[in-house]
Amino acid sequence: MDITIHTSFLPHTDPEESLAFYRDVLGFEVRNDVGTGTMRWITVGPAGQPGTSILLAPPAVDPGITDDERRTIAEMMAKGTYGWILLATPDLDGAFEKIQASDAEVVQEPTEQPYGMRDCAFRDPAGNLVRIQELR
């Protein structure tokens, strides 16, 4: 079986702030940007990896979601416990410095983990956890 990860979803609360973070801070390419106002679906991805993307989308817009579920999602996003993504780089310290300079909320400075991985973590403008591992 040949299966790849094509697109992962992360919610946004402000499409312009999220776009600025993923495009200007992380350096991702904008692949698609549809919709208007807060109802925008923005696809971004790392340069040189056209088959892998992140879809930044308005949260809780599925018509099957109840009002209670929408409130729960909004509460979880506000606490930073709803969405997260794991990225990787060979230059963790350089990535950390660049992201920290952007005023992104630092959750964890570069740390050697007990399970043998060195990583750091931030929150994007919507509160999603962005964890970055060092490629060795």
Side-chain angles (χ1 to χ4, degrees):
M1 184 178 308
D2 184 7
I3 297 176
T4 62
I5 296 173
H6 179 64
T7 305
S8 291
F9 159 88
L10 284 178
H12 68 64
T13 52
D14 181 319
E16 289 300 323
E17 285 184 350
S18 289
L19 180 59
F21 179 78
Y22 286 92
R23 180 194 59 211
D24 303 337
V25 178
L26 295 184
F28 285 0
E29 300 172 332
V30 177
R31 309 242 169 93
N32 205 2
D33 187 345
V34 298
T36 60
T38 59
M39 296 301 283
R40 279 172 65 193
W41 286 258
I42 305 165
T43 306
V44 297
Q49 297 179 43
T52 304
S53 299
I54 299 170
L55 175 61
L56 305 170
V61 295
D62 185 319
I65 295 177
T66 67
D67 288 341
D68 285 341
E69 291 168 332
R70 281 186 182 86
R71 278 190 292 280
T72 299
I73 290 168
E75 289 169 4
M76 291 177 71
M77 286 180 66
K79 293 188 320 185
T81 59
Y82 184 67
W84 65 280
I85 193 161
L86 179 60
L87 306 174
T89 180
D91 182 11
L92 184 65
D93 294 317
F96 179 82
E97 288 175 17
K98 181 176 181 185
I99 298 167
Q100 184 181 34
S102 75
D103 293 329
E105 178 188 346
V106 176
V107 174
Q108 174 200 301
E109 293 186 6
T111 303
E112 188 70 40
Q113 300 293 350
Y115 45 84
M117 184 62 62
R118 187 167 179 261
D119 65 4
C120 66
F122 295 89
R123 296 222 184 274
D124 78 3
N128 299 305
L129 182 68
V130 178
R131 184 165 288 282
I132 305 172
Q133 292 183 336
E134 182 174 53
L135 292 173
R136 296 182 180 171

